[in-house]
Amino acid sequence: MIGIISFVGFTALVAVISYFATIKTNENTSDGYFLGGRSLTAGVIAGSLLLTNLSTEQIVGLNGSAYKDGLSVMAWETLAAIAMVVTAIFLLPRYLKGGLTTVPQFLAKRFDVTTKTITSGLFLTGYVVVLLPVILYSGSVAISGMFDIPTLLGVSDQSAIVICIWGIGLIGSVYAVFGGLKAVAVSDSINAIGLLIGGILIPVFGLIALGEGDFFTGLDALVNTHPERFDSTGESWQEVPFVTIFTGMMLVQLFYWGTNQQIIQRALGAKNLAEGQKGLLLASFLKILGPIILVIPGMIAYQYFDGNLASSDLAYPELVRAVLPKPLIGFFAAVLFGAILSSFNSVLNSSVTLFGIDIYKQHINPQAPEKTIVKYGKIFGVCLAIAAMFIAPLIANAGSLFNYLQQINGIYSIPIFTIIVVGYLTKRVPAIAAKIGIISGSVLYIISQFWIGPSRVEAALEKAKATGITDPQALRVVEADAYPHFLHIMAILFIANVIIMLIIGKIKPRETPFVLEYTKQVSIEPYKYVKQFGLVICAIVIAIYILFAK
């Protein structure tokens, strides 16, 4: 009951603050609704970026990976800091110079409208089929378990999940569809404070429990009992082999933090370039601390439960249940609910933006006034949310949520990132090259990861078992050796697509070189210390890897 009161009260408080923060924003204009009136400050941008990235699929999934492989999985967090620095210095100035509302808008200017539409369609398909349902399902599992919804309502586990899915979906829709980006960003910033406090409490109480009442005894036990698990350089058979840091890992990070609409939209709403850069730098510095919330609890759980949990995905929820004092479980559930809501809101708001600007205005009603664009964008958002709520229960049969999300996202992430990079770094590569790049990248990835790869892995495992190999660790090595890691595949396809596009550009270049014009919508005077702070952040990340390398 305390938990229910906490999260209802917390959600209501955030809603009220968000409302008063947005009443001066004209939500009947595209800038007002989609970009918060281009008025977001560094603090709001940083808080919104961090919380958009934090939800149950990250908190539960990444801690589950740490339970299995230890510190090496921190690459998903620490390397994000470098990606945000690159975005702040290289990509954001170009986005704001062009006055972009969506990333695909640049592709229309650089290549053509068809390229933009294909890209927007890929984003929207990924959001409605994968990302929104995964957020809803994983969040519902967490909330249902923490509040014991089946017992509370006298329903089955499956019915409880469906009830939570629709509850989260409806509340999230109200925030995202009717509040616009500024409502989402402000609520994100408030929730980020609660999530950081709640997230830090878990490893603190976990170490106290591990040390039988003493925090420092627990810390000593964690570091010295299994020192091999504090290796920042993952082995080839682990989820994040060290060499992938130099191949597909950085590409995925750059796509996510630099071109993914749900993320970069916060920076696009900056009041000026300096505020946007400061927001990204602040978020990147805080991201370095991410493993405290997203990795360390999984490592604590491995030692606390002696590695005997039935599934690595149980590491985080079981640790919370075991070590957090009962009165605080309600507070943490409220904070986690805010994180779930934030991720759902962010993806939905980005979807509404992509549809309103790139689909409705471009193809359905080019003469529509901005009020009409916003109106039909909201209608689309409601339909998208309802579709995601129907799809979400089906995710229960998808296996590992984290792997499902990463694997499927690869279909469109690297192809889109490729054409954006080539678009900015070249001036004469034509539109046909971008279309071929998107199609070839997606098709080749699907063939590799869902046909060739699984067949080779299955054959290798069958051969190994036939020779008497049954040890799980040995089988992981066999599986890793059977086919290249999916991050390596992404890097290979990225290079192949770049070469294909450059060859096409050499054979059939566009008639006139592309020039990015300054729209003067916001000041693009950069933050004067952006490069210095960026170098410091990159140096800290490198130092962390050197410090923990075995």
Side-chain angles (χ1 to χ4, degrees), residues 29 81 103 115 151 170 212-213 243 256 289 320 340 353 360 365 372 375 394 398 410 431 450 478 480 488 520:
T29 67
V103 172
T115 303
T151 301
L170 291 173
E212 298 181 349
V243 289
Y256 186 82
L289 307 177
V320 171
I340 298 164
T353 304
Y360 184 81
N365 190 356
T372 302
K375 173 186 173 182
L394 305 178
F450 301 102
V478 170
H488 291 323
K520 299 182 180 180

Side-chain angles (χ1 to χ4, degrees), residues 3-242:
I4 294 176
I5 293 173
S6 297
F7 86 73
V8 169
F10 190 70
T11 302
L13 175 63
V14 172
V16 171
I17 295 175
S18 300
Y19 170 76
F20 283 107
T22 57
I23 53 177
K24 293 183 180 180
T25 299
N26 183 4
E27 67 166 32
N28 289 324
T29 67
S30 58
D31 270 4
Y33 180 79
F34 297 128
L35 293 179
R38 298 186 189 268
S39 62
L40 303 188
T41 59
V44 172
I45 292 169
S48 184
L49 282 170
L50 289 175
L51 200 64
T52 297
N53 179 241
L54 283 180
S55 193
T56 44
E57 73 273 12
Q58 256 73 36
I59 295 174
V60 174
L62 198 51
N63 275 299
S65 297
Y67 177 89
K68 288 172 57 179
D69 290 341
L71 193 65
S72 62
V73 301
M74 73 175 185
W76 290 112
E77 285 296 293
T78 52
L79 292 186
I82 295 178
M84 280 190 268
V85 170
V86 174
T87 300
I89 295 174
F90 177 71
L91 289 174
L92 187 60
R94 290 162 174 79
Y95 290 153
L96 295 185
K97 181 180 180 181
L100 302 183
T101 304
T102 70
V103 172
Q105 275 186 313
F106 161 72
L107 299 177
K109 295 180 179 180
R110 174 60 181 84
F111 297 112
D112 60 14
V113 172
T114 303
T115 303
K116 179 188 77 168
T117 303
I118 292 172
T119 306
S120 297
L122 283 173
F123 271 127
L124 290 173
T125 301
Y127 289 165
V128 71
V129 175
V130 184
L131 196 50
L132 284 173
V134 167
I135 291 170
L136 286 174
Y137 178 76
S138 59
S140 298
V141 170
I143 295 298
S144 178
M146 285 187 176
F147 291 128
D148 195 12
I149 299 297
T151 301
L152 186 66
L153 300 181
V155 297
S156 66
D157 290 345
Q158 186 176 3
S159 297
I161 294 297
V162 173
I163 291 171
C164 290
I165 285 171
W166 281 84
I168 295 171
L170 291 173
I171 295 173
S173 299
V174 171
Y175 268 113
V177 175
F178 299 103
L181 177 66
K182 193 168 184 180
V184 174
V186 171
S187 65
D188 283 356
S189 301
I190 300 168
N191 282 325
I193 299 172
L195 184 63
L196 288 174
I197 295 172
I200 291 172
L201 285 177
I202 305 305
V204 168
F205 281 105
L207 290 172
I208 291 173
L210 206 59
E212 298 181 349
D214 185 86
F215 175 86
F216 292 102
T217 301
L219 181 61
D220 183 68
L222 178 67
V223 173
N224 295 316
T225 303
H226 296 284
E228 74 282 356
R229 291 176 57 79
F230 273 85
D231 186 3
S232 59
T233 57
E235 301 289 343
S236 62
W237 47 268
Q238 292 183 318
E239 287 193 14
V240 185
F242 182 63

Side-chain angles (χ1 to χ4, degrees), residues 370-386:
E370 297 209 335
K371 184 175 181 180
T372 302
I373 296 171
V374 172
K375 173 186 173 182
Y376 282 96
K378 290 180 179 180
I379 293 173
F380 175 79
V382 171
C383 296
L384 198 70
I386 292 173

Side-chain angles (χ1 to χ4, degrees), residues 140-469:
S140 298
V141 170
I143 295 298
S144 178
M146 285 187 176
F147 291 128
D148 195 12
I149 299 297
T151 301
L152 186 66
L153 300 181
V155 297
S156 66
D157 290 345
Q158 186 176 3
S159 297
I161 294 297
V162 173
I163 291 171
C164 290
I165 285 171
W166 281 84
I168 295 171
L170 291 173
I171 295 173
S173 299
V174 171
Y175 268 113
V177 175
F178 299 103
L181 177 66
K182 193 168 184 180
V184 174
V186 171
S187 65
D188 283 356
S189 301
I190 300 168
N191 282 325
I193 299 172
L195 184 63
L196 288 174
I197 295 172
I200 291 172
L201 285 177
I202 305 305
V204 168
F205 281 105
L207 290 172
I208 291 173
L210 206 59
E212 298 181 349
D214 185 86
F215 175 86
F216 292 102
T217 301
L219 181 61
D220 183 68
L222 178 67
V223 173
N224 295 316
T225 303
H226 296 284
E228 74 282 356
R229 291 176 57 79
F230 273 85
D231 186 3
S232 59
T233 57
E235 301 289 343
S236 62
W237 47 268
Q238 292 183 318
E239 287 193 14
V240 185
F242 182 63
V243 289
T244 62
I245 291 175
F246 305 101
T247 58
M249 173 63 79
M250 275 311 303
L251 295 177
V252 171
Q253 297 282 11
L254 289 170
F255 165 79
Y256 186 82
W257 294 101
T259 65
N260 191 356
Q261 182 67 27
Q262 72 167 117
I263 295 294
I264 200 61
Q265 190 170 338
R266 277 100 191 95
L268 295 180
K271 62 190 303 183
N272 53 52
L273 175 59
E275 285 296 309
Q277 289 178 325
K278 286 188 286 186
L280 282 165
L281 290 175
L282 176 59
S284 67
F285 177 76
L286 294 175
K287 199 66 178 169
I288 297 174
L289 307 177
I292 296 175
I293 297 175
L294 295 171
V295 176
I296 298 299
M299 298 176 67
I300 294 172
Y302 178 84
Q303 191 159 323
Y304 186 85
F305 297 110
D306 295 321
N308 291 324
L309 291 177
S311 168
S312 61
D313 287 338
L314 295 174
Y316 195 79
E318 288 294 331
L319 185 68
V320 171
R321 189 177 296 110
V323 305
L324 201 61
K326 300 300 179 184
L328 291 178
I329 291 180
F331 165 74
F332 186 72
V335 169
L336 192 61
F337 180 78
I340 298 164
L341 211 58
S342 169
S343 293
F344 181 79
N345 296 347
S346 301
V347 178
L348 191 57
N349 183 263
S350 298
S351 302
V352 169
T353 304
L354 286 169
F355 175 81
I357 299 296
D358 294 344
I359 306 297
Y360 184 81
K361 184 178 181 180
Q362 185 72 56
H363 298 286
I364 299 175
N365 190 356
Q367 305 303 319
E370 297 209 335
K371 184 175 181 180
T372 302
I373 296 171
V374 172
K375 173 186 173 182
Y376 282 96
K378 290 180 179 180
I379 293 173
F380 175 79
V382 171
C383 296
L384 198 70
I386 292 173
M389 289 179 231
F390 277 112
I391 295 172
L394 305 178
I395 300 297
N397 302 318
S400 171
L401 290 174
F402 198 71
N403 286 336
Y404 172 76
L405 188 61
Q406 297 298 331
Q407 290 278 330
I408 300 297
N409 281 348
I411 296 174
Y412 64 89
S413 61
I414 298 305
I416 291 175
F417 181 67
T418 303
I419 65 172
I420 289 175
V421 169
V422 173
Y424 272 125
L425 295 181
T426 67
K427 295 183 177 182
R428 287 190 176 272
V429 172
I432 185 64
K435 297 183 185 71
I436 291 175
I438 290 179
I439 295 171
S440 65
S442 298
V443 171
L444 291 175
Y445 182 82
I446 291 171
I447 293 173
S448 170
Q449 295 307 114
F450 301 102
W451 180 30
I452 299 175
S455 63
R456 291 194 176 183
V457 169
E458 183 179 356
L461 291 175
E462 288 179 357
K463 183 179 179 180
K465 292 176 182 177
T467 58
I469 299 176

Side-chain angles (χ1 to χ4, degrees), residues 506-533:
K506 190 69 174 178
I507 296 173
K508 190 180 179 181
R510 57 179 287 167
E511 294 181 359
T512 58
F514 170 73
V515 178
L516 183 64
E517 296 180 358
Y518 178 28
T519 62
K520 299 182 180 180
Q521 294 189 27
V522 297
S523 169
I524 57 171
E525 181 69 26
Y527 175 48
K528 61 181 179 179
Y529 299 118
V530 63
K531 293 182 180 178
Q532 292 90 327
F533 278 110

